[in-house]
Amino acid sequence: MNYNPIIVALDVPNAGEALSLVDRLSTTVDFYKVGLELFTAEGPAVVREIVARRKKVFVDLKMYDIHETVKRAAARVAALGGSLLTVHASPQVIRAAREAAAGTNLRILAVTVLTSFDQQDLEDVGITGRTVAEQVEWLASKAIDAGADGLVCSPLEVAALRARVHPETVLVVPGVRSAGADHGDQKRVATPQSAMADGASYLVVGREITRAAEPAAAADAILRALGSQLH
């Protein structure tokens, strides 16, 4: 196997549970997502602990603030050894994060429309006249023009975005569920196989792995189902 696209979402309440999962998955998965819940509970230390285990960390904080605040916060993520960081798809925010990441291994991902959003959710925040897919493509275009290294998008939009962006643009896809798996709070979902076929760079997988009786076996099952797509 040449390539492992799985990023395991450590959506757990404390570092003990997170690091236990990392250790149980250590021979199967190399990339982990630290989001708002875990980062708020444990702070930067949990990122350092995962990096110290020679694993990569996707810091999913969806930053959105004034230029200097984003720049300083993104610089701290780079110093921690983070590999990916999410910010909102605002050109000013993206440029600030990119300045902070210059000369480091940190890559900046722009968040377009959350995978838990549908058409009604867009209208509830005042966005009318565009479908979800159209809003994603509009924000994605702005983000790439502003210098984002990649995008977070649902599996339903990844094919259209892959056709529009540079081949090296990183497309990170949450909302991935194997056939028969619970969709949870995600509304725009697809299987790992279809997301990869459509051009995903990485697949964010949470409870299907983390809540399995044997997390490593669950991750391995996804990788085996992907088969030749990983070569």
Side-chain angles (χ1 to χ4, degrees), residues 17 29 59 63 103 141 171 225:
E17 290 186 37
V29 177
V59 183
M63 292 182 179
S141 178
L171 297 183

Side-chain angles (χ1 to χ4, degrees), residues 16-103:
E17 290 186 37
L19 296 174
S20 174
L21 280 165
V22 173
D23 291 340
R24 293 176 71 185
L25 288 162
S26 63
T27 61
T28 311
V29 177
D30 294 319
F31 219 144
Y32 297 87
K33 180 177 80 72
V34 173
L36 282 173
E37 179 186 11
L38 184 56
F39 196 88
T40 302
E42 301 289 353
V46 71
V47 178
R48 290 194 191 94
E49 290 279 0
I50 298 169
V51 171
R53 284 165 162 78
R54 300 182 182 276
K55 303 299 182 181
K56 292 183 286 187
V57 182
F58 167 23
V59 183
D60 185 22
L61 299 182
K62 301 179 179 67
M63 292 182 179
Y64 186 75
D65 213 312
I66 64 172
H67 183 282
E68 191 64 16
T69 297
V70 171
K71 181 179 176 181
R72 288 173 178 268
R76 302 285 75 77
V77 174
L80 290 171
S83 295
L84 299 173
L85 170 67
T86 48
V87 303
H88 277 268
S90 161
Q92 180 186 131
V93 173
I94 292 165
R95 287 192 291 268
R98 284 281 295 159
E99 283 183 39

